[in-house]
Amino acid sequence: MSMPFTTRAPSRLAAWPIAVLLALGLAGCGGGGDDDKPEASASSSKSSESKPDAQERGAGNTLAELRGPNGLFLKVTEAQRDGGGFVTVSGDLKNDGDDTVNIPAQLSGNETEIIRNGKSLGGATLVDSKGKKRYYVLRDTEGRPLTTTKFPPMKAGESLPVFMQFPAPPADTAEVTLQLPMFTTGTIEISG
């Protein structure tokens, strides 16, 4: 008697999630009286999805511009809060000068453990003025900074994508100041 029950139960259980997914999918299609307003539905769907916003920021939005020595220029395009308790700051480091530039060792900071791992952006910090705290670049278990490392000499006009990961400030902190040795500072807004 248990055989007929077990052969029927999986088919019923398998059909239920498909029916729910179809119902949710049809409900999310937005068919009906809103056909006159495609802009409103397009903008609301963009605001509810974090990945397109991040791609749009990376494509052209600038959160901050930090000028450094010898024509170096850091354009910050994203500061994304992750669920893992950290913030990833991304952007492009560019040589705006006329000559090839070696990345200054000072950008690595002055901590022996980080310097040991080669040139990096390990000297970067985020400052939360509201919470009166400074956040340093995270490190892995071997002491390597969680940031772009091992910079080659940069030719004139060359640009490199860079990132830095920091512990996340409290959720109610949206604005922080990014500091990088030898560069101007910039206020950035954390998303996510």
Side-chain angles (χ1 to χ4, degrees), residues 87-112:
V87 170
T88 303
V89 176
S90 305
D92 293 300
L93 183 64
K94 184 176 182 181
N95 178 359
D96 265 350
D98 297 328
D99 300 318
T100 299
V101 174
N102 287 316
I103 302 301
Q106 290 90 334
L107 296 184
S108 299
N110 57 11
E111 293 182 44
T112 308

Side-chain angles (χ1 to χ4, degrees), residues 147-164:
T147 179
T148 307
T149 59
K150 300 183 181 170
F151 290 97
M154 292 183 68
K155 297 176 183 168
E158 187 176 8
S159 182
L160 296 171
V162 295
F163 78 96
M164 298 159 267

Side-chain angles (χ1 to χ4, degrees), residues 164-188:
M164 298 159 267
Q165 288 187 332
F166 301 91
D172 64 341
T173 300
E175 260 189 15
V176 291
T177 302
L178 176 63
Q179 297 179 338
L180 191 60
M182 304 178 71
F183 278 69
T184 59
T185 61
T187 301
I188 58 176

Side-chain angles (χ1 to χ4, degrees), residues 47-68:
S47 66
S48 67
E49 297 175 13
S50 63
K51 289 191 181 192
D53 289 344
Q55 290 171 352
E56 288 170 8
R57 269 193 298 281
N61 287 357
T62 301
L63 298 179
E65 296 177 346
L66 285 65
R67 296 245 173 232

Side-chain angles (χ1 to χ4, degrees), residues 129-149:
S129 299
K130 180 181 170 185
K132 297 182 177 159
K133 290 189 178 180
R134 180 182 306 265
Y135 299 91
Y136 295 90
V137 170
L138 291 168
R139 297 175 195 95
D140 67 12
T141 55
E142 296 179 14
R144 292 182 297 239
L146 297 181
T147 179
T148 307
T149 59

